[in-house]
Amino acid sequence: MDKDTKIKRKHYSPIDLAFLILAPATAAILTLLLPLNLLVSTLLYFGPPALYISWRRKDIIGRSLIYATTIAVISILTDYLAERDLSWVSTSMFDFRLVGVVPIEAIVWMLLFTYFIVVYYLYFYDSAPHNPIGKRMPFVFFAAFAVLVWVGLMAVVDLRFTIDYYYIKFGLVLLLLPLLAFAISFPQYLRIFLKITPYFIVFGLVNLLVSLHKGHWSYPGQHFVGWVQLGAYRFPIEELVFWIILYPSFLISQFELFNNDQFKFKPRKATQRD
């Protein structure tokens, strides 16, 4: 394995384990017991774990926040398309919605979830120093800028559009295929993906089930490939596969590609040994 892309794992400490399990569990219990809206529940659920890691590794805050903010801006478009196709619908405490569709809570949710995944990865698997902005980040900035231009134009021009069966199309083309390509080209990351996935499956499922119970969001559309039934709660297969199982690994793969200058953009040779 190339020394520049070698991954070193930092072992969990008992404090890490306790906080990263108990903090979201406490937030879930409080959300169930108290009349908390989606915004407050999101802040309670994602905020403490993200703040804990940020406190332990202050050097990763700026880099992670810049990337997470950029992804949150891009998510305005993805959430717009999901809400238009009724792939999911989020509640909001605000009368105002971006482009008339996207609730503020959805952007906050994406920002915090993305930030938490990135800092989790950096804290446990990457202790090397990095520039706050990678040399390939302008590509991501351009995508975010294009979304902002579209948002601005929507204020004066009707640019509404809908993609039927958006969830499965988005998941396959923009998430699964890039992740597969990355994993095939850089198999040294597969071990990382497999190790982080169980935690984020539990983390995501708890957040999902609590939110469904409280009515914070729902899936009223019909354009799904199937449903998952867990007790009294039902949600699309796409939600389980793309957001809960694959999104953390996908996000890390794109973070490495675009925001890690030490990452050498060349596939690993079959004859190369670690």
Side-chain angles (χ1 to χ4, degrees):
M1 183 184 297
D2 193 291
K3 64 179 181 179
D4 290 332
T5 56
K6 189 173 182 178
I7 305 297
K8 292 183 178 180
R9 183 179 186 273
K10 177 184 181 299
H11 293 289
Y12 286 99
S13 72
I15 295 176
D16 294 335
L17 281 173
F19 200 90
L20 294 178
I21 293 173
L22 294 178
T26 301
I29 293 171
L30 290 175
T31 300
L32 290 172
L33 296 178
L34 301 175
L36 304 180
N37 58 37
L38 176 56
L39 179 60
V40 175
S41 176
T42 298
L43 293 173
L44 281 177
Y45 195 75
F46 294 99
L51 288 173
Y52 170 78
I53 294 178
S54 300
W55 171 67
R56 295 291 301 270
R57 282 282 308 276
K58 297 179 180 62
D59 60 298
I60 65 178
I61 295 175
R63 184 173 175 231
S64 304
L65 186 59
I66 290 171
Y67 189 80
T69 301
T70 308
I71 297 301
V73 171
I74 295 173
S75 76
I76 296 173
L77 177 59
T78 59
D79 194 83
Y80 168 84
L81 290 171
E83 299 257 0
R84 289 276 293 175
D85 192 44
L86 299 180
S87 297
W88 63 74
V89 173
S90 303
T91 60
S92 179
M93 62 180 289
F94 305 101
D95 294 331
F96 171 78
R97 290 184 178 231
L98 292 170
V99 293
V101 175
V102 180
I104 301 299
E105 288 86 345
I107 308 305
V108 174
W109 189 94
M110 178 60 75
L111 172 65
L112 293 180
F113 188 38
T114 299
Y115 180 82
F116 178 50
I117 293 171
V118 172
V119 296
Y120 181 99
Y121 166 68
L122 293 177
Y123 181 61
F124 292 111
Y125 297 99
D126 188 350
S127 59
H130 295 275
N131 295 322
I133 300 176
K135 294 179 180 178
R136 291 180 288 271
M137 273 297 289
F139 292 103
V140 187
F141 291 152
F142 177 79
F145 177 74
V147 171
L148 290 177
V149 170
W150 169 73
V151 170
L153 289 175
M154 283 284 284
V156 294
V157 182
D158 187 357
L159 297 175
R160 290 176 293 179
F161 61 101
T162 303
I163 298 178
D164 291 339
Y165 288 92
Y166 163 76
Y167 214 158
I168 187 66
K169 293 174 182 177
F170 160 79
L172 290 176
V173 176
L174 297 180
L175 197 151
L176 178 60
L177 291 181
L179 178 58
L180 285 176
F182 182 91
I184 292 171
S185 299
F186 309 100
Q188 63 268 37
Y189 284 87
L190 280 173
R191 183 180 58 195
I192 304 300
F193 297 159
L194 291 175
K195 286 180 177 179
I196 69 170
T197 295
Y199 175 79
F200 282 106
I201 287 178
V202 176
F203 187 88
L205 277 176
V206 171
N207 181 244
L208 170 62
L209 295 176
V210 169
S211 296
L212 287 175
H213 181 79
K214 298 293 289 189
H216 288 162
W217 65 65
S218 60
Y219 305 94
Q222 301 298 319
H223 297 161
F224 303 115
V225 298
W227 296 88
V228 176
Q229 189 80 38
L230 291 179
Y233 306 106
R234 190 178 80 149
F235 52 91
I237 291 175
E238 292 92 329
E239 181 78 9
L240 175 65
V241 173
F242 297 129
W243 277 121
I244 294 177
I245 297 177
L246 296 182
Y247 180 70
S249 297
F250 165 79
L251 181 70
I252 291 168
S253 72
Q254 301 309 296
F255 180 79
E256 287 292 274
L257 285 175
F258 292 104
N259 205 27
N260 182 0
D261 291 340
Q262 297 179 12
F263 181 89
K264 291 193 174 181
F265 194 72
K266 60 180 180 180
R268 181 185 179 187
K269 295 180 181 179
T271 58
Q272 192 175 19
R273 293 187 178 183
D274 295 344

